[in-house]
Amino acid sequence: MTTLDTTEASGMIMNKTAEEAGALAKAVSTAKAGHETKIAASKVSVFYGDKQALFDVSIDIPARQVMAFIGPSGCGKSTFLRCINRMNDTIDNCSVKGTIEIDGANIYDPKIDPVLLRARVGMVFQKPNPFPKSIYDNIAYGPRIHGVAKAGSAMDEIVERSLQRAALWNEVKDRLDQPGTGLSGGQQQRLCIARAIAVNPDIILMDEPCSALDPIATAKVEELIDELRAQYTIVIVTHSMQQAARVSQKAAFFHLGNLIEVDETDKMFTNPSDQRTQDYITGRFG
Amino acid sequence: MSDTAAQGTGRRAWYEPDAKLKRRHAADRRLRAYGVAAILFALAMLMTLVGTILVTAAPAVTQTMVTLEVEVPEGAVNPSDPRGGSYQKILNESVARLFPEVDTPRELRELRQLFSNGGQYALRDKVVADTSLIGRTFDITFPLSDIGDQLHKGVIGRDLPSDQRRVSDEQIGWYDRLVEQGRISAPLNWGLIFNADSRFPELAGLWGALVGSFYALLICFLVSFPVGIAAAVYLEEFAPKNRFTDLIEVNINNLAAVPSIVFGLLGLAVFLNFFGMPRSAPIVGGLVLSLMTLPTIIIATRAALKAVPPSIREAAIGVGASRMQTVGHHVLPLAMPGILTGTIIGLAQALGETAPLLLIGMNAFITAAPDSMFNPSTALPTQIYIWADSPERGFTSRTSAAIIVLLGFLVCMNAIAIYMRKRFERRWS
């Protein structure tokens, strides 16, 4: 009986501190940038079998901004990104601890259906991965399975709007029936962005979206990210410091599975508060 | 200049090969020669095999037929029941008219031995189809018997002393008279395909075996294709990776290596004895064959599913598809060419499988093609087995011809598999 009480008590204390910390961070970020918190992660740890890949990451991600995750390879930034739409569920021996709240709802709550979650949290992958179907079907697939629109003019409209938002409409409007795999790499990646937009998400996760693209295609995708920021909360993992500096408003530095520092991008790149961040940004390791 | 200088000092230029390099190249050449020799040897063996079969089968391409003038007297056949007529007697009479000098019973028996026992049925069928022929004289063409056929094809040598051959001198003489009268012809042997089995080689055909094999393969496909795909999809896409699923995987791989006769014993014990299914029936054959085909299809399907890039799965899951939708809409369609190829190869194996069919009685002697998959029947490989076991000379060439038919089907099925793989192969970035 006594033991139980103690555990409960300590649990409550922990919860309370976490809540307070969250509230504080929220207040700070709202005060600073005028954006409310969209994603609030608290003490997220990820294990692959026995191996822990992420240690107690707590971070608030503001709405309608671009948040960049930077850090050396294997630091856990992609792992954390994939926690946000529960993509890690598909990996057999992967387990996630802690909570991630989107608009106040914990996405690891058993009540939450990952299928619905992924409709709200779109994802763009490192390598462009269009379905080996027509451009039209690539976009229409998501809305179709979610029942947003059946075939016909409603679907045509969604396809056109998504492609326009992804700045691809003018390039492909005459060949919507041709395979998406026939496009160039940069076009394929924008097609994937359009596919993510088509299900009308709030958040778009991007896992090194430009690492397989040439500089011109990269510039186009970066421009697109900047435009999308007006409507979507974007989280981007990138290896390129310059890209983080160009597209993001806030940046988070990960190192060896720990979140080291979260700050305004400008500040982090000019005056980081942690020595490890300083070393990474100036190229001493990574 | 520098060359001679180098040689002069006993040092080789950098580009001159040394003994070690020469040995390395020699080893390369040797290995290539071994490879070519192995392939040539294999080709030679294959050519010998196929060549022997083709040469042996050649006589079965045609069937020696005889055309006789028969008279069906008014009283011999009842027009309201034409099946009941004594057609053998009518034929015997017309043969006797051709050879009036033959009168002793022994000679008559020998004379009749030249003509196939099937003649009476050919005549019956003709009269049944057209009863107006009763009371008239007309020509009928039907096979010569096995000895006549062999004589025509020169398989039975005339030079042998008469006590060493199966045909008497008189029979040769009668046969020659038939040839002189232009009554002997040798058209293509369609009976080989469209007749059912028979004791008499000149009447025996593969139709029953073809139909039996078709039903068995149909059952085999209907059972093993959906079950195999379902099992493979579950194991590959949904099953947790633990000791139990590892055990299942090992067992499936082992099943593929189990000798086929064991499956036959299983079929005998389970399908025939326990479930009491009909003996010799294609449905049992198909079920037994599907047990054998299942592991092949499961393994091929799993390989095909593995070959679909994970990025496609991620893409589908990323836009919110459920796992079932991911598999059904994307992974399975992309894996389908591989699955179909594996299935056809599995079915081709099943088509050629003999041992399990022997155990469930599909090597019975059945003279009619099965009406359904529940009727007794043979299959192509068991038909070959039966014919190879028969003593009559005519079955030698027919066995080889049946092997060619079987090989033809196998080649066709494999060709379809290759075509499908090429045709539906999809590229993705």
Side-chain angles (χ1 to χ4, degrees), chain A residues 82 87 90 92 115 118-119 121-123 125 127-133 141-142 145-146 181 188 195 199, chain B residues 239-241 310-323 325-326 329-330 334 426-429:
Chain A
R82 292 164 67 94
M87 213 57 186
T90 56
D92 265 337
V115 166
R118 290 181 197 129
V121 186
M123 188 155 191
F125 297 87
K127 229 179 90 192
N129 57 352
F131 299 126
K133 300 179 179 220
Y141 182 68
I145 58 170
H146 291 296
T181 40
Q188 286 190 14
R195 180 175 67 190
V199 290
Chain B
K241 299 274 172 288
S311 65
I312 296 291
R313 291 185 180 80
E314 285 191 330
I317 289 174
V319 294
S322 66
R323 290 175 94 176
Q325 286 171 326
T326 305
H329 296 166
H330 301 285
L334 288 174
R426 283 221 232 180
R427 290 167 196 284
W428 45 75
S429 55

Side-chain angles (χ1 to χ4, degrees), chain B residues 60-76:
Chain B
V61 173
T62 57
Q63 170 63 45
T64 316
M65 308 288 264
V66 62
T67 306
L68 288 186
E69 195 175 62
V70 289
E71 188 197 350
V72 182
E74 291 280 0

Side-chain angles (χ1 to χ4, degrees), chain B residues 173-192:
Chain B
W174 296 323
Y175 165 78
D176 286 343
R177 283 215 353 237
L178 286 172
V179 175
E180 275 163 32
Q181 294 171 7
R183 294 187 181 278
I184 301 293
S185 59
L188 275 183
N189 188 3
W190 292 112
L192 180 68

Side-chain angles (χ1 to χ4, degrees), chain B residues 90-337:
Chain B
I90 300 172
L91 268 186
N92 288 349
E93 278 161 9
S94 75
V95 170
R97 269 202 306 280
L98 265 183
F99 301 99
E101 77 282 5
V102 180
D103 46 9
T104 67
R106 188 189 64 82
E107 275 186 333
L108 271 174
R109 201 174 59 240
E110 280 195 358
L111 177 59
R112 284 173 202 151
Q113 276 173 2
L114 271 178
F115 304 95
S116 169
N117 188 45
Q120 53 177 321
Y121 306 117
L123 179 59
R124 179 192 68 192
D125 292 345
K126 196 162 177 168
V127 174
V128 167
D130 181 9
T131 45
S132 70
L133 289 172
I134 297 169
R136 284 166 48 194
T137 304
F138 54 94
D139 280 353
I140 177 144
T141 304
F142 64 95
L144 273 186
S145 74
D146 187 34
I147 51 170
D149 191 35
Q150 303 305 322
L151 201 57
H152 180 77
K153 289 167 181 167
V155 181
I156 296 178
R158 293 163 180 251
D159 318 330
L160 286 171
S162 65
D163 56 342
Q164 284 180 26
R165 53 173 141 80
R166 282 184 57 212
V167 217
S168 65
D169 292 333
E170 291 93 336
Q171 282 174 326
I172 291 181
W174 296 323
Y175 165 78
D176 286 343
R177 283 215 353 237
L178 286 172
V179 175
E180 275 163 32
Q181 294 171 7
R183 294 187 181 278
I184 301 293
S185 59
L188 275 183
N189 188 3
W190 292 112
L192 180 68
I193 306 287
F194 295 109
N195 283 357
D197 196 13
S198 166
R199 264 190 313 128
F200 306 102
E202 71 274 11
L203 299 176
L206 289 169
W207 189 243
L210 286 171
V211 175
S213 268
F214 170 77
Y215 280 139
L217 278 191
L218 185 70
I219 296 285
C220 177
F221 175 78
L222 290 180
V223 173
S224 59
F225 188 68
V227 175
I229 288 183
V233 165
Y234 177 73
L235 285 175
E236 197 59 40
E237 304 284 334
F238 295 99
K241 299 274 172 288
N242 57 29
R243 286 192 152 206
F244 183 64
T245 47
D246 282 351
L247 191 74
I248 292 178
E249 184 167 352
V250 168
N251 275 308
I252 287 172
N253 290 337
N254 281 343
L255 270 187
V258 167
S260 55
I261 197 149
V262 176
F263 286 106
L265 282 170
L266 182 78
L268 177 64
V270 175
F271 296 129
L272 294 187
N273 290 349
F274 188 73
F275 289 116
M277 288 173 140
R279 203 164 287 271
S280 306
I283 182 161
V284 183
L287 288 172
V288 171
L289 292 178
S290 71
L291 293 178
M292 295 193 44
T293 317
L294 257 182
T296 314
I297 292 183
I298 292 177
I299 291 169
T301 305
R302 292 191 68 176
L305 290 174
K306 271 201 187 86
V308 175
S311 65
I312 296 291
R313 291 185 180 80
E314 285 191 330
I317 289 174
V319 294
S322 66
R323 290 175 94 176
M324 204 61 228
Q325 286 171 326
T326 305
V327 173
H329 296 166
H330 301 285
V331 180
L332 212 48
L334 288 174
M336 210 30 105

Side-chain angles (χ1 to χ4, degrees), chain A residues 39 46 49 57 77 90 95 103 137 140 158-159 194 200 210 214 247:
Chain A
I39 307 164
V46 178
V57 171
K77 54 193 189 307
T90 56
S95 62
D103 293 333
D137 285 337
I158 289 178
V159 170
N200 207 15
C210 300
D214 66 35
V247 301

